[in-house]
Amino acid sequence: DVSPVVAGLIGATVLVVSVSVTVFVWTCCHQQAEKKHKTPPYKFIHMLKGISIYPETLSNKKKINRIRRDKNGPAKEGGRGNLLLDAAESGLAGSDKAPDGPGAAPHVEQLPIKVDYGDELSPDQSLTPGGSKTSSPSSPGDDVMLGDLTFSVDYNFPKKALVVTIQEAHGLPVMDEHTQSSDPYIKMTILPDKRHRVKTRVLRKTLEPVFDETFTFYGIPYSQLQDLVLHFLVLSFDRFSRDDVIGEVMVPLAGVDPSTGKVQLTREILKRNIQKCISRGELQVSLSYQPVAQRMTVVVLKARHLPKMDITGLSDPYVKVNVYYGRKRIAKKKTHVKKCTLNPVFNESFIYDIPVDLLPDISIEFLVIDFDRTTKNEVVGRLILGAHSGSAAGAEHWREVCDSPRKAVAKWHSLSEY
């Protein structure tokens, strides 16, 4: 015999457990049903030669997927200049700490510069005004044909997805003088917001690359297509330094109607327009050269009118200083991060030992970068001074520094797009 109190407790417990299990099962079934009918959030699916690398059933936490470069591809040949660069990079790896303030002692850096670079450098290798390097007379800086790019545009109405297939390119110029070929790949951005950034894999040693890669962007209404522009940047991979920019293709979707099916297009690759983003702010730097000590003093003073990079309407900028001898980066430094400002004041100096006879081949690159603790840091703009300056003001500043030894020359410069 069970007392009425115990029987009531047992009955109540069974009732509570039954109701809880029923609610839990109903909630799970309801969520599964919603997932099947709910429009997926913005993401893209990368199709490589017809094979879905990220199928739609896979939860895509990253909005952008980047295909790894072909590890089995042949590496570029390197001479003694490459060994010297590796030694320079390893020597600078532990010396990136910036000074503690304007009153701190400046950085003194012995540059591992040697005149003999073997066959790695040639007189016609240089940085272009856009910041890329050229290594042959058929570079984008000359009046030569840069080839054509073939791609297709389609739209998936049920899934509100824009589908872009980068098919192939023809007639690319030679960017690697050693192999008389190029290692092309393509970066694609959807303008004007620049949020949707993807890139293809690198194809080795070819001037007629066939990519056959499809990028599907979800969450783009068809009514917004007329306001979008597809930007294709064609580059050639360089294992030892900055990749070469071959050219670009701009395609406004206002003139493309994918509503009736896939639209295949072929556009000529044009020289990159480095003046299209001229409102990237300004940077003030000071240079002075001591011919007796053979030292170059670089002072990053301040910046102004930087673009807003954070949701707060501000930025967290810092400046990275790269020193190049010809095409080789031989030194790198960076300033402190200035929090929540569009007009930062740095007042940080760096000193480099540079022989006077090597000054004609020295270039100094300033990269203004927005620091982000949670995502990748983004380059706001850049400035190049020296032998390969991309502007008349930069070339004039460098000439004045070389013609006025022991004098600090400070000037404002407009930042260009990276």
Side-chain angles (χ1 to χ4, degrees):
D1 294 337
V2 181
S3 65
V5 176
V6 175
L9 292 176
I10 295 175
T13 303
V14 173
L15 180 61
V16 171
V17 172
S18 302
V19 172
S20 301
V21 171
T22 303
V23 171
F24 177 75
V25 172
W26 180 86
T27 303
C28 292
C29 295
H30 185 67
Q31 290 179 352
Q32 291 294 334
E34 283 187 348
K35 286 183 179 180
K36 291 182 180 180
H37 299 88
K38 185 178 179 181
T39 301
Y42 162 72
K43 62 179 180 179
F44 81 85
I45 304 301
H46 192 168
M47 297 287 292
L48 175 59
K49 291 194 173 182
I51 302 175
S52 178
I53 297 179
Y54 283 89
E56 297 178 42
T57 56
L58 184 63
S59 60
N60 188 7
K61 295 182 180 179
K62 291 186 177 180
K63 292 185 179 180
I64 296 180
N65 171 54
R66 301 182 183 273
I67 297 301
R68 295 183 179 178
R69 296 188 176 101
D70 187 5
K71 295 183 178 179
N72 299 324
K76 293 186 179 180
E77 297 178 1
R80 284 174 290 177
N82 298 334
L83 298 178
L84 181 61
L85 176 65
D86 294 339
E89 293 292 337
S90 61
L92 293 172
S95 59
D96 274 351
K97 188 175 181 180
D100 293 332
H107 294 282
V108 179
E109 189 162 345
Q110 178 65 40
L111 298 185
I113 300 178
K114 293 184 181 179
V115 179
D116 184 12
Y117 273 76
D119 297 331
E120 187 64 22
L121 294 176
S122 62
D124 50 303
Q125 289 176 333
S126 63
L127 290 173
T128 64
S132 62
K133 310 161 300 306
T134 58
S135 55
S136 71
S138 61
S139 64
D142 301 328
D143 294 332
V144 296
M145 299 299 293
L146 303 180
D148 299 317
L149 177 66
T150 301
F151 58 97
S152 64
V153 180
D154 197 2
Y155 190 79
N156 190 323
F157 284 92
K159 298 180 180 179
K160 296 182 180 179
L162 176 65
V163 183
V164 180
T165 301
I166 301 177
Q167 297 173 347
E168 56 190 3
H170 295 287
L172 298 183
V174 174
M175 304 302 292
D176 190 340
E177 198 174 48
H178 297 286
T179 62
Q180 286 298 305
S181 186
S182 298
D183 299 325
Y185 69 98
I186 296 177
K187 289 183 178 180
M188 194 197 82
T189 306
I190 300 181
L191 303 178
D193 54 9
K194 294 186 178 182
R195 287 187 307 155
H196 319 308
R197 298 181 178 182
V198 295
K199 68 178 180 180
T200 67
R201 70 197 189 284
V202 178
L203 298 183
R204 304 287 182 173
K205 296 183 179 179
T206 177
L207 301 180
E208 307 286 333
V210 178
F211 299 100
D212 194 13
E213 299 190 35
T214 300
F215 301 93
T216 304
F217 301 91
Y218 289 89
I220 300 180
Y222 182 78
S223 59
Q224 294 183 4
L225 290 186
Q226 303 300 312
D227 301 327
L228 302 180
V229 177
L230 300 182
H231 177 241
F232 301 91
L233 186 63
V234 186
L235 304 102
S236 178
F237 173 72
D238 194 322
R239 182 179 181 183
F240 301 107
S241 56
R242 191 179 305 280
D243 295 346
D244 302 299
V245 177
I246 296 176
E248 66 179 357
V249 176
M250 303 283 288
V251 183
L253 293 182
V256 180
D257 185 13
S259 61
T260 58
K262 181 183 296 185
V263 179
Q264 183 164 326
L265 303 169
T266 299
R267 293 289 186 268
E268 181 183 358
I269 301 174
L270 304 176
K271 181 180 178 181
R272 189 181 188 188
N273 181 14
I274 63 172
Q275 301 296 332
K276 62 184 178 181
C277 292
I278 202 163
S279 59
R280 307 299 295 175
E282 295 178 285
L283 180 68
Q284 186 184 42
V285 297
S286 172
L287 302 179
S288 64
Y289 186 73
Q290 302 291 333
V292 177
Q294 297 191 354
R295 286 184 174 180
M296 175 71 73
T297 302
V298 179
V299 184
V300 181
L301 296 172
K302 51 188 175 181
R304 64 187 180 189
H305 309 318
L306 298 180
K308 302 174 183 179
M309 305 298 292
D310 298 337
I311 59 175
T312 60
L314 299 173
S315 297
D316 301 322
Y318 69 94
V319 179
K320 184 176 182 180
V321 183
N322 296 319
V323 180
Y324 288 88
Y325 174 66
R327 299 178 67 217
K328 299 297 181 181
R329 185 175 68 178
I330 53 179
K332 58 180 181 179
K333 288 291 182 181
K334 61 182 179 181
T335 68
H336 282 100
V337 178
K338 302 299 179 181
K339 296 289 187 179
C340 301
T341 177
L342 299 180
N343 300 281
V345 177
F346 299 102
N347 283 336
E348 299 187 32
S349 61
F350 310 97
I351 299 178
Y352 306 95
D353 291 341
I354 303 177
V356 64
D357 56 335
L358 299 185
L359 278 180
D361 294 320
I362 294 295
S363 298
I364 303 177
E365 178 187 52
F366 301 87
L367 294 177
V368 180
I369 304 174
D370 176 50
F371 174 77
D372 197 316
R373 189 178 299 275
T374 57
T375 61
K376 184 178 179 181
N377 297 341
E378 187 173 357
V379 177
V380 177
R382 75 164 167 182
L383 165 68
I384 299 177
L385 300 180
H388 311 298
S389 177
S391 63
E396 175 64 22
H397 191 177
W398 185 260
R399 185 195 63 78
E400 188 174 345
V401 171
C402 296
D403 294 345
S404 305
R406 296 176 295 277
K407 178 183 177 181
V409 182
K411 289 183 180 294
W412 282 99
H413 295 274
S414 297
L415 297 173
S416 62
E417 187 182 21
Y418 179 66

